[in-house]
Amino acid sequence: MTTFLLTLHAFIVIGFTVRILLRENLSPQARLAWFIILAVLPYIGSAIYFLFGEVDIGNHANARHTEVFAQIRAKGSHLMGVQDDTERLIDPLYRPAFRYAASINGFHAVASNHAELMADAATTNARLIADIDAAQSHVHVLYYIWLDDRTGTDIAHALIRAAARGVTCRAMADGLGSRALIKSPLWQQMKDAGVQMAVALPLDNLVRTMLKSRVDLRNHRKITVIDSKITYCGSRNSADPEFRVKAKYAPWVDIMLRFEGAVVAQNELLFLSDWMQATGENIEGFTLTASPVEDGFPAQVMGDGPTERRGATPQLFSALIACAQDTLTLSTPYFVPDATVLEALCSAAHRGVAVKLIFPKVNDSWIVAAASRSYYSKLLSAGCEIHEFKGGLLHAKTLTLDGKVTMIGSSNLDLRSFDLNYENNILLQDLKVTLAVRERQQDYIARSDPMTLDLVSAWPKSRRIWYNVIATIGPVL
C-alpha cells in the first residue's frame, strides 16, 4: 500500500509539474513556489494547486466579458475618451502612465472633473446617503463587502427610499465578501422594495465553482454612481469602521473621493460591465450620459480583473513609479509586490525620488504581514522610507506623484489585486486634489512608527527566516 501511495503521489506531482512548466504566463518565482508546495506537502499540495493554482474564471465568463465590452465600446465609446485627449490634457512627464492605463480597458483621460476628499467615515456616509436621497433618475452601487451594520443598513434604506419614489436602483455585492448580507432579511427587503439586486461571482454552486473556476476570484470593486453625475471612489466597503467581522483590527481607516464630471460616466460603464456580466442584460436597456463640469481636471478610470490581460495592474504601478520626479507616497494594507513593482520602487529611490511607503503595523493577514516585512531591508537599503501605521488597520489605497498626480481606488499591491480580483481605480492629474490626498497621507505618517535599517537588522534570525520562508511562497499567495 505504501508503494502504491508513493507511486500515485509521484504521478500526481509529475502531472502538475508538467502543467506548471507548460504555463507561459507564470513567472519563474511562481513556478518555483509551486514546485516547493508540491514537493513539501504530499497530496495536499496537489489539492491546493487544483483549487488555487490557476487564474481561470471559465470560458463562458471570458466570452461574456468580451461580448460585454464590445457592447460598451459600441454604445459608450463617446464616454471613454480618446488618445488625443491624453496628449492634450496630461503633462508630458506623466503621459506614459496615463497611456498605459488606457490600454487596459479603453478608458482615456477626460477633462472637466471635480473631486472632494471626504473628511472621515461619518462624513462619507452622510454625503453618500444625502446624494442617494437626492437622486432623480438612478443609483448604481457595487461593494465587495456589504454588511448589515449601521453603514450598510443606512445605504440599503436609502436605496429603498429611492426606489419608492421611482428612482431606478441597481445594487450588487460580491458573493463571498457579502455572503451574510445576501442571505439576510435586509437583502430581501431591498428586493421587495423594487431595488434590482445582483450577486457578483455567486457561490450558489460551490462544487461547480471549484471545478470550473476558483473560489477566491472575487469582485473587490467599490463603486457608487448617482444620476450619472456623482461617483465615489476609494477603499471603503459598505461597512462601519469598527468592521465587526474583524473587530480586533478596527478601526478600518479608509479614504474616499467624491467625483463630479465626465469621469463619472466611465465609472458607470465599469459598473454596467459587472452588472451585465452578472445578470445577462444587454446595454440597450441603459441610458448613457456624461455630466462634465466647468474648469475641471483630467481623470480616467482603470478597471482590472482576471478577464483582462495578466500583469496589467503591476505594470501600471510600475509605469506610475517610473514617472515620479521628486516625490512618491504610497499607502496600502497589503504589500506583496511582484519583482516589477519592487524594483521600480527601489529604482525610484536610487535616482533621488523621495519614496514613502505606509503600511499597517498590525495586519489582519499574518501571511501578508510576514511577506511584506521580508522586503523591508531591500527597500530601506535603496533609500525608501517605510512607516507602519498604528491607528487601526490602514485600508486606504493611495498613490501620489510630485504633488500633481493621484491614483485612488480598490487595488492593493499584492498578487490578489494583481491577478485574482476585479478592481477599480481613478487616475487623475490635479494639484488641489493631490495636495488634499498628500495631506491625508502625511496624517497617516504622523500616526505611524518609522522603520529603519537598524531596526530591521536587529530582528532575530528566527523572525527573518520566518518572513523569508513566507515570501518564498509569496508568488502564489
Side-chain angles (χ1 to χ4, degrees), residues 12-283:
I12 291 173
V13 169
I14 290 170
F16 281 118
T17 298
V18 171
R19 171 58 189 162
I20 291 167
L21 290 170
L22 286 172
R23 289 178 58 190
E24 296 180 356
N25 62 352
L26 203 61
S27 69
Q29 295 87 350
R31 284 196 181 93
L32 179 59
W34 278 119
F35 291 156
I36 293 171
I37 290 172
L38 289 172
V40 172
L41 299 172
Y43 301 109
I44 296 174
S46 300
I48 292 171
Y49 183 83
F50 175 76
L51 293 173
F52 304 110
E54 303 197 16
V55 182
D56 182 7
I57 200 166
N59 292 332
H60 175 74
N62 280 308
R64 178 60 180 161
H65 173 81
T66 300
E67 178 187 351
V68 163
F69 264 89
Q71 291 185 37
I72 286 173
R73 292 186 181 97
K75 188 174 180 180
S77 61
H78 62 291
L79 305 174
M80 299 176 72
V82 294
Q83 181 66 48
D84 288 349
D85 286 343
T86 299
E87 308 305 311
R88 177 175 58 87
L89 297 168
I90 304 301
D91 186 314
L93 289 172
Y94 311 110
R95 282 177 197 162
F98 279 79
R99 288 191 201 115
Y100 185 86
S103 76
I104 297 171
N105 40 34
F107 295 114
H108 298 272
V110 288
S112 305
N113 301 284
H114 288 170
E116 179 185 356
L117 178 61
M118 297 292 98
D120 50 30
T123 302
T124 302
N125 209 43
R127 292 292 297 279
L128 193 152
I129 298 303
D131 286 334
I132 294 175
D133 282 339
Q136 298 179 352
S137 171
H138 61 271
V139 179
H140 295 153
V141 300
L142 163 60
Y143 306 116
Y144 170 60
I145 295 175
W146 190 344
L147 303 182
D148 61 353
D149 58 9
R150 183 182 64 254
T151 297
T153 301
D154 283 350
I155 292 172
H157 286 169
L159 292 170
I160 290 170
R161 290 193 299 272
R165 63 178 187 272
V167 173
T168 300
C169 296
R170 297 181 178 93
M172 192 171 181
D174 180 78
L176 179 64
S178 301
R179 59 193 180 278
L181 179 78
I182 292 167
K183 298 175 182 178
S184 74
L186 185 59
W187 184 268
Q188 189 60 46
Q189 287 171 27
M190 286 189 280
K191 274 188 177 181
D192 293 343
V195 179
Q196 299 177 40
M197 312 296 293
V199 178
L201 303 172
L203 295 176
D204 48 358
N205 190 326
L206 191 59
V207 173
R208 183 179 63 190
T209 300
M210 289 190 296
L211 291 175
K212 292 188 174 183
S213 179
R214 284 178 58 161
V215 174
D216 58 344
L217 289 174
R218 305 313 325 156
N219 193 316
H220 192 242
R221 292 172 179 165
K222 306 101 169 57
I223 299 175
T224 304
V225 179
I226 296 107
D227 289 346
S228 303
K229 296 179 179 179
I230 299 166
T231 194
Y232 286 78
C233 184
S235 63
R236 194 190 85 146
N237 290 292
S238 183
D240 293 341
E242 293 78 12
F243 208 62
R244 69 183 185 205
V245 292
K246 292 185 178 180
K248 70 177 182 178
Y249 302 101
W252 244 246
V253 178
D254 284 300
I255 189 166
M256 293 295 286
L257 283 173
R258 178 186 183 274
F259 287 86
E260 296 180 77
V263 78
V264 175
Q266 292 190 353
N267 222 25
E268 187 157 45
L269 288 175
L270 192 63
F271 169 86
L272 292 178
S273 73
D274 288 332
W275 183 268
M276 292 161 65
Q277 182 97 5
T279 64
E281 295 180 26
N282 292 322
I283 203 164

Side-chain angles (χ1 to χ4, degrees), residues 317 320-321 328-330 397-401 405-407 441:
F317 273 105
L320 285 162
I321 294 165
L328 185 154
T329 305
L330 184 153
K397 305 97 163 52
T398 66
L399 185 150
T400 59
L401 300 178
V405 171
T406 295
M407 188 167 80
Q441 291 173 325

Side-chain angles (χ1 to χ4, degrees), residues 354-374:
V355 177
K356 299 181 181 182
L357 308 173
I358 318 165
F359 311 133
K361 191 173 187 69
V362 178
N363 203 303
D364 66 316
S365 170
W366 60 268
I367 294 178
V368 169
S372 296
R373 292 187 173 119
S374 73

Side-chain angles (χ1 to χ4, degrees), residues 40 102 145 241 268 381 388 412 438 445 471:
V40 172
I145 295 175
E268 187 157 45
S381 297
E388 290 192 337
N412 297 302
R438 284 188 68 181
I445 290 172

